[in-house]
Amino acid sequence: MMDGTDTKPQDLASTIGKIRKRDGKVVEFQTTKITNAIYKALLATKRPDYALAERLAEKVVQRLIKHGFNAGNIPGVEDVQDIVETVLIDEGLADTAKAYILYRHERRRIREEKMKILERSTLDEVDKALSTNSLRVLASRYLLRDESGKIVESPKQMFERVAILITIPDMLRDSRVFMLNGTFKRDDLAKVEHYLENLDGFDGRYSIGAYRMNKWHVESMLRLYRELASQGRMRVGIDEMLSMLENREFDAYEKRVEEYYRLMVEMYFLPNSPTLMNAGARLGQLSACFVLPIHDDLASIMKTATDAALIFKSGGGVGINYSNLRPEGDIVASTSGVASGPVSFMRIVDTTTEVVKQGGKRRGANMGILEVWHPDIEKFITAKTKPGVLENFNVSVGVWSDFVDAVKGNEKYALRNPRNGKVVGYVDARQLIELIAISAWQSAEPGMLFLDNMNRYNVMKDVQGLIRATNPCGEQSLYPYESCNLGSINLAELVKRRADGSYEFDWQRYEQVIRLATRFLDNVIDVSKYPIDEIDRATKASRRIGLGIMGLADLLYMLRIPYNSKEGYELMNRLAEALTYYSMDESVEIAKSRGAFPLYNESGYVQGKLPVGGYYELAREEHTQDWDALIEKIKRYGIRNSQTTTVAPTGTLSMIADCSGGIEPTFALVYEKHVTVGKFYYTNRILEEVLKGMGMYSDELLQRIAENYGSVKGLDEVPEEVQRVFVTAMDIHWADHIMAQAVWQRWISNAIAKTINMPSDVTAEDVRCSYLLAHELGLKGITVFRDGSRQQQVLHITGESRVKRFDAVPSNYAIEYIRRYVKDGSLLKEIEAAILKGNRVKGSRGYALSTMGSEGEILCPLCKSRLVFAEGCNTCMNCGWSSCIVS
């Protein structure tokens, strides 16, 4: 009610109609934006009253009209903000007015900082929506630059560049130009080659609706056309195809470009880093990582090093299993000399990595694998215990079930020469796994790959044999020359707010995003420019993709569910099952129109097998999806991708999306962050919202949390419910870390990047038990990180006044689960003894981040800031640098 009339707020807003933004653009006037700004000011002054904010916003609109603003006299943003201040003061809310003025000043500071980061004088809607941190990461690694190093595109243009490229495979499968069954003979492929050699004339010539294609988009389109035409699948010649494009006959695909664009820009999904960097750009290499073979001859060794160099140059990382190489000291008949062994040849690739900058941006990354039966296994295990050795490698021991059985039985284990398969000696299996554990306790390496678990449900082993290697971070099992094409869904964006302000997960939207992201990744395979021909062929033979997630910890915070709880694990189980089910179901839908992956007829799918452990290991009544119906669909139509899901590292991607990484718990709720003008406390955005809503938010509390290793555990002033829900990585017992990975692994067809965090005073025996537990629970690999390992002098993320107030203990659910699934009685006793020791954690329990700058230094190579170790990767929380190619 106003002035005796019954005018509604939306009617008042329509009276004004438009508002002029700072960049001069005129957009629709929205009262809700005023309401939200006022509410933030009320929240800052401990008056979280949204209804009051709405009433005050209505008064602001009334004042605007009274001042003569209307459709013919459009107000500017500053006009509106000035009146907001006046209304707040007139209403007796001087403290709120002050908070609003400070908020206004902070917004101005942020705008200026964003423009400086992006080297621009104006900001578009995407720049404004993304956080400063996100823009800083994009500017440092992803946005295209000219030869002088100047940024030449905005984040919006980057996402458009990627979306246009990813739409090209959809466009070329249009029924007017493509036919799956039948053969069309084309004799103009030479013309395609001519066009590929003269791309400059195509730059900006064609468009898909409003989206203009650059010459690199056209190059990818021509390469894909050439491939499909050579298979006899294209109905039209290349000139007719280009003529149709020029005549705007494919403009309907503008909607698909928009879908892929919105998927990324609204942060529902992001592809792996090489796709963001290189899609629609000169390099054109979109895959994150590759596996290369190596055989026991010099020609193969040098070819592998050469192929690795080409991969590093294109922006990828490499995994290599060195077990085929004869051991150190073995005879070399051709030279009458002796072999130098696998570790020495790893140094060749390590040096190659050092000198070949990855995509011109950073050095590449490697995974070095040696299987446990190799005579050089002890030298391999201890290779990285000293700083400066194989610095460009992650190393993992490949373990088969016979070794685990020997450990359980306290037996000797045979070592075999790969040159002839002969047994050359025996080791004590228990002593060897203790050596692995001691090395990991000391240096966080090696990791372990459980090759039997990796192959248990491998639907490709009948046609491709056993899989024996992974990418550098260990989450993607690959055959020689295969690539990993990865992307992650942001779970934290898939929530709906209820009327009472609480959140619920949007399962319908989750399915929609899974399906679109699956198509996105399948298209990546078609338009990626692979560094060597063998990779092109192997990747397209299996069409393996890896759709994963990020933002799990933030989602759990919003739903008020503790990570290490029965409810938390049950939600993880359902999320993981839906991810693989809907991605596989969508892969079947794609196969209907594009065909199954080429090796499908020789795979286990034709016998009704699935690469999913949960289907076999859980009772049918525990399934939430109809897997038997999916099997029948696959047998009828085939499936487009041999595997579809992977939980990859998302360190940098999650910084862009402003969410937690992968399936990891948050590493710290509050920590000091250093910037050019000083330092400030970074606070988890969800905790900040909760604390402000409770009227508890203050700099003093933030400091207390930071000095508690970034945790709210044990702080008397923090309510018990907040302590229960807002857990961090080091609040959680290592058994629960393994538990979480096991829950996800049941339903993920590839593997998972996760760090099993342990406090500083665990023993090597604890590490050994964690390995055996991981194997028993079906993990495909494990990376253990003990707080304080790797560095001699540790600098934590918090100040020197930190105080430990609690111990991490295993959840009852994890204990019950372990007792249910570990069948070996004596092994169960060992594991129980390790995890039920009681409160034994003394002293430092925070993340080990970096050194003080002395021996063993681990600092960010770009900004020299502190690193955190999560998802198996070193990641800089300041600039976004990551040691993992994927993230």
Side-chain angles (χ1 to χ4, degrees):
M1 182 77 66
M2 179 190 68
D3 297 334
T5 66
D6 211 4
T7 307
K8 295 180 180 178
Q10 58 264 36
D11 297 328
L12 292 173
S14 64
T15 299
I16 295 175
K18 304 288 183 180
I19 186 171
R20 194 179 309 277
K21 299 167 71 175
R22 289 180 180 84
D23 60 6
K25 291 181 180 178
V26 175
V27 298
E28 182 183 354
F29 182 87
Q30 296 179 7
T31 307
T32 54
K33 290 193 173 183
I34 302 173
T35 302
N36 291 336
I38 294 174
Y39 179 71
K40 287 178 181 178
L42 289 168
L43 201 60
T45 51
K46 302 180 181 180
R47 295 189 62 172
D49 188 338
Y50 197 81
L52 175 59
E54 288 180 314
R55 290 196 299 273
L56 293 170
E58 186 177 346
K59 289 179 180 292
V60 170
V61 178
Q62 292 172 18
R63 292 264 185 112
L64 283 167
I65 295 172
K66 188 175 180 181
H67 280 65
F69 291 112
N70 51 46
N73 182 26
I74 299 172
V77 170
E78 298 287 347
D79 298 318
V80 176
Q81 292 180 338
D82 290 342
I83 290 177
V84 170
E85 292 177 15
T86 304
V87 167
L88 291 173
I89 292 170
D90 290 349
E91 293 293 318
L93 297 167
D95 57 339
T96 304
K98 180 180 178 182
Y100 179 79
I101 292 168
L102 292 173
Y103 164 77
R104 186 176 175 183
H105 175 76
E106 178 64 9
R107 290 292 296 266
R108 184 182 299 113
R109 185 194 66 79
I110 290 172
R111 285 195 302 273
E112 291 171 353
E113 186 176 356
K114 286 182 175 182
M115 288 188 286
K116 183 177 179 181
I117 290 169
L118 297 174
E119 303 173 10
R120 298 171 61 199
S121 58
T122 60
L123 300 176
D124 60 34
E125 68 276 12
V126 176
D127 304 331
K128 293 174 184 176
L130 295 176
S131 69
T132 304
N133 213 34
S134 174
L135 294 179
R136 189 177 289 113
V137 172
L138 287 171
S140 67
R141 291 185 58 199
Y142 295 88
L143 302 182
L144 297 180
R145 295 174 179 264
D146 62 19
E147 293 180 356
S148 66
K150 181 177 175 58
I151 295 173
V152 294
E153 72 174 354
S154 67
K156 179 180 180 180
Q157 290 168 329
M158 179 199 73
F159 289 123
E160 288 177 346
R161 163 170 60 81
V162 176
I164 292 167
L165 184 75
I166 300 303
T167 301
I168 287 172
D170 295 329
M171 190 174 70
L172 261 63
R173 267 46 174 252
D174 188 292
S175 60
R176 292 170 294 173
V177 299
F178 173 83
M179 186 173 184
L180 178 60
N181 299 310
T183 302
F184 295 87
K185 180 174 173 57
R186 296 292 164 206
D187 57 6
D188 58 354
L189 292 184
K191 191 173 289 186
V192 176
E193 300 299 330
H194 172 73
Y195 291 154
L196 284 168
E197 293 169 5
N198 296 274
L199 288 172
D200 288 345
F202 294 103
D203 203 19
R205 181 173 174 179
Y206 305 115
S207 295
I208 304 173
Y211 297 95
R212 189 165 293 278
M213 300 169 67
N214 65 34
K215 65 181 178 180
W216 308 117
H217 293 129
V218 176
E219 179 193 33
S220 294
M221 183 182 69
L222 291 170
R223 286 190 291 103
L224 181 55
Y225 174 92
R226 178 181 60 190
E227 179 179 344
L228 295 175
S230 66
Q231 297 168 1
R233 301 289 178 249
M234 298 307 293
R235 295 176 181 268
V236 300
I238 186 58
D239 283 338
E240 185 177 350
M241 172 79 190
L242 294 176
S243 177
M244 292 173 70
L245 187 59
E246 194 159 28
N247 292 333
R248 313 302 293 261
E249 294 183 40
F250 294 105
D251 277 6
Y253 287 91
E254 178 184 25
K255 292 181 180 178
R256 182 50 62 90
V257 178
E258 185 72 15
E259 282 185 294
Y260 292 137
Y261 171 77
R262 289 292 165 197
L263 191 67
M264 294 181 288
V265 81
E266 294 176 3
M267 297 300 155
Y268 289 118
F269 163 86
L270 289 174
N272 54 211
S273 287
T275 300
L276 290 177
M277 293 173 179
N278 300 331
R282 179 183 59 82
L283 279 177
Q285 203 290 95
L286 313 185
S287 302
C289 305
F290 309 85
V291 157
L292 292 176
I294 192 166
H295 303 291
D296 193 33
D297 64 80
L298 189 59
S300 174
I301 292 168
M302 299 315 296
K303 175 172 169 45
T304 297
T306 300
D307 289 346
L310 292 172
I311 288 169
F312 298 147
K313 182 180 178 182
S314 75
V318 172
I320 302 173
N321 186 327
Y322 290 85
S323 301
N324 290 334
L325 302 185
R326 68 189 72 189
E328 181 179 4
D330 194 38
I331 188 170
V332 180
S334 61
T335 62
S336 299
V338 294
S340 55
V343 174
S344 67
F345 287 112
M346 288 173 67
R347 294 194 186 104
I348 295 176
V349 177
D350 190 53
T351 303
T352 303
T353 312
E354 193 75 28
V355 298
V356 180
K357 259 196 174 180
Q358 182 195 71
K361 292 183 172 67
R362 60 177 180 175
R363 292 193 300 270
N366 299 277
M367 170 66 82
I369 300 163
L370 200 70
E371 294 176 33
V372 71
W373 49 261
H374 196 284
D376 285 1
I377 189 63
E378 292 187 26
K379 183 176 182 180
F380 176 84
I381 290 167
T382 58
K384 291 198 67 177
T385 52
K386 293 182 180 179
V389 178
L390 298 176
E391 286 190 330
N392 300 301
F393 268 88
N394 293 329
V395 294
S396 288
V397 177
V399 171
W400 297 94
S401 57
D402 62 341
F403 175 74
V404 177
D405 291 340
V407 172
K408 292 177 185 177
N410 199 15
E411 300 169 352
K412 296 289 186 180
Y413 186 72
L415 302 179
R416 303 191 306 276
N417 189 328
R419 177 172 57 85
N420 53 26
K422 291 183 178 179
V423 174
V424 296
Y426 292 88
V427 294
D428 184 296
R430 188 166 286 262
Q431 287 183 5
L432 188 59
I433 198 170
E434 285 174 356
L435 179 63
I436 298 171
I438 290 168
S439 180
W441 181 93
Q442 180 180 351
S443 65
E445 290 197 81
M448 293 190 78
L449 299 175
F450 302 117
L451 300 176
D452 54 322
N453 289 345
M454 203 178 290
N455 284 284
R456 181 165 291 120
Y457 305 113
N458 178 7
V459 294
M460 302 303 293
K461 60 187 174 185
D462 289 344
V463 57
Q464 291 182 288
L466 295 174
I467 204 159
R468 297 172 58 199
T470 75
N471 70 333
C473 298
E475 82 282 0
Q476 185 78 355
S477 311
L478 297 169
Y479 285 102
Y481 294 117
E482 279 191 323
S483 64
C484 52
N485 302 282
L486 310 173
S488 300
I489 292 171
N490 180 6
L491 297 178
E493 284 295 324
L494 296 170
V495 292
K496 297 184 291 187
R497 198 156 197 166
R498 299 189 182 102
D500 63 0
S502 64
Y503 292 97
E504 63 178 325
F505 190 70
D506 190 340
W507 291 98
Q508 182 179 2
R509 182 61 179 147
Y510 186 39
E511 178 185 346
Q512 292 168 349
V513 172
I514 291 169
R515 291 185 182 279
L516 186 57
T518 299
R519 286 186 175 269
F520 185 113
L521 293 178
D522 184 66
N523 285 358
V524 164
I525 293 174
D526 283 340
V527 289
S528 183
K529 191 175 181 180
Y530 300 100
I532 55 178
D533 290 340
E534 293 97 326
I535 290 174
D536 189 297
R537 292 193 293 270
T539 298
K540 292 173 181 175
S542 62
R543 302 192 69 88
R544 184 190 300 260
I545 61 172
L547 180 60
I549 60 97
M550 55 186 169
L552 173 65
D554 285 345
L555 173 67
L556 291 169
Y557 289 162
M558 285 189 281
L559 299 180
R560 305 295 188 262
I561 299 174
Y563 186 100
N564 53 335
S565 67
K566 182 176 185 292
E567 190 180 3
Y569 293 131
E570 287 175 348
L571 178 62
M572 292 183 208
N573 182 81
R574 187 178 173 191
L575 288 166
E577 183 179 2
L579 181 70
T580 296
Y581 180 85
Y582 290 124
S583 64
M584 291 184 69
D585 190 64
E586 187 64 18
S587 186
V588 175
E589 293 302 312
I590 300 170
K592 289 179 182 179
S593 59
R594 301 187 184 183
F597 68 92
L599 294 177
Y600 166 78
N601 287 329
E602 301 168 76
S603 73
Y605 282 116
V606 294
Q607 285 97 42
K609 296 178 182 178
L610 291 176
V612 183
Y615 172 75
Y616 301 98
E617 295 167 6
L618 295 179
R620 292 293 190 273
E621 56 269 21
E622 295 182 76
H623 297 176
T624 62
Q625 306 292 340
D626 190 348
W627 289 94
D628 291 324
L630 178 60
I631 288 173
E632 291 307 310
K633 285 178 68 175
I634 293 172
K635 289 167 71 174
R636 182 176 180 184
Y637 300 108
I639 190 167
R640 182 68 170 169
N641 313 99
S642 62
Q643 274 84 24
T644 64
T645 51
T646 304
V647 178
T650 62
T652 311
L653 296 180
S654 58
M655 289 181 73
I656 295 172
D658 199 16
C659 68
S660 57
I663 65 166
E664 297 282 17
T666 299
F667 79 94
L669 292 164
V670 179
Y671 63 89
E672 286 181 6
K673 185 163 184 180
H674 294 260
V675 294
T676 53
V677 295
K679 63 182 181 180
F680 67 95
Y681 286 117
Y682 173 86
T683 309
N684 177 274
R685 59 184 176 85
I686 304 164
L687 177 66
E688 181 177 336
E689 180 183 322
V690 169
L691 293 178
K692 286 181 176 178
M694 298 172 70
M696 295 181 57
Y697 187 82
S698 68
D699 288 340
E700 292 75 20
L701 180 57
L702 297 186
Q703 183 175 348
R704 287 265 288 161
I705 297 171
E707 291 176 351
N708 194 40
Y709 298 94
S711 171
V712 294
K713 281 280 188 181
L715 296 181
D716 293 337
E717 60 266 56
V718 178
E720 179 59 34
E721 179 63 14
V722 176
Q723 293 189 39
R724 190 179 74 89
V725 169
F726 285 86
V727 293
T728 66
M730 290 299 288
D731 299 345
I732 298 171
H733 193 275
W734 58 261
D736 280 282
H737 280 283
I738 293 175
M739 176 75 204
Q741 187 171 341
V743 168
W744 281 89
Q745 188 60 82
R746 281 195 302 234
W747 295 110
I748 299 300
S749 55
N750 290 300
I752 294 167
K754 170 140 184 36
T755 298
I756 308 303
N757 296 95
M758 294 186 170
S760 60
D761 68 340
V762 296
T763 65
E765 179 70 10
D766 294 314
V767 177
R768 183 183 70 82
C769 285
S770 75
Y771 289 154
L772 295 172
L773 175 60
H775 179 268
E776 295 302 295
L777 295 188
L779 272 61
K780 295 182 180 180
I782 182 173
T783 300
V784 169
F785 188 82
R786 179 185 66 87
D787 178 23
S789 62
R790 292 195 172 192
Q791 296 77 244
Q792 296 174 4
Q793 188 174 10
V794 177
L795 175 67
H796 288 266
I797 204 157
T798 54
E800 290 302 317
S801 57
R802 58 187 180 273
V803 178
K804 179 191 171 296
R805 293 178 172 83
F806 61 92
D807 296 304
V809 295
S811 69
N812 290 332
Y813 186 85
I815 294 170
E816 292 170 6
Y817 187 93
I818 290 166
R819 287 171 174 166
R820 175 182 172 189
Y821 280 94
V822 176
K823 305 299 184 185
D824 186 291
S826 59
L827 177 59
L828 178 59
K829 286 182 180 179
E830 280 190 69
I831 293 170
E832 283 186 325
I835 66 175
L836 298 176
K837 287 177 182 176
N839 296 340
R840 184 189 38 74
V841 185
K842 298 178 176 64
S844 167
R845 56 153 296 281
Y847 260 83
L849 298 178
S850 70
T851 66
M852 295 291 289
S854 59
E855 269 191 277
E857 183 173 50
I858 302 180
L859 296 174
C860 174
L862 296 184
C863 68
K864 307 306 178 187
S865 296
R866 304 157 177 175
L867 301 178
V868 296
F869 188 80
E871 303 178 287
C873 307
N874 285 314
T875 302
C876 178
M877 301 309 295
N878 190 50
C879 73
W881 178 89
S882 174
S883 62
C884 289
I885 310 298
V886 176
S887 66

